[in-house]
Amino acid sequence: KPNALIENVVTHTDYRHRGYGTRLLQKAQEIAKEQGCYKAARVTGSKKEETLKFYEKAGFVQGVKTGFIWRQ
């Protein structure tokens, strides 16, 4: 089955805490479901507690897998 990867979710500082990021993630999850994805992964390099809590509140689970990246 296909899966989705959500990257680079950024809200301009002037517009944070207004629900835009949450609605964006909800829409991304909705699209993933419509496309038959069995999961949607959200990867972040942030260590900020506020950011991590934001993703957990949106339904994502932290620390279930280890990710590896290769870049050219």
Side-chain angles (χ1 to χ4, degrees):
K1 283 187 148 183
N3 64 85
L5 176 61
I6 303 167
E7 289 191 286
N8 301 326
V9 177
V10 181
T11 304
H12 189 280
T13 53
D14 293 346
Y15 297 96
R16 290 182 184 161
H17 305 287
R18 297 183 185 186
Y20 297 124
T22 299
R23 288 196 299 270
L24 177 68
L25 286 175
Q26 289 170 343
K27 185 62 176 178
Q29 290 167 314
E30 180 183 312
I31 292 168
K33 286 178 189 175
E34 289 171 359
Q35 296 299 313
C37 294
Y38 78 99
K39 71 175 181 179
R42 170 64 194 112
V43 179
T44 182
S46 178
K47 303 288 187 236
K48 294 180 184 177
E49 191 66 27
E50 178 182 20
T51 302
L52 302 178
K53 285 183 185 277
F54 168 74
Y55 291 118
E56 288 175 348
K57 186 178 174 185
F60 291 84
V61 179
Q62 182 184 5
V64 294
K65 295 196 177 189
T66 301
F68 295 89
I69 297 173
W70 175 85
R71 291 188 178 157
Q72 185 168 308

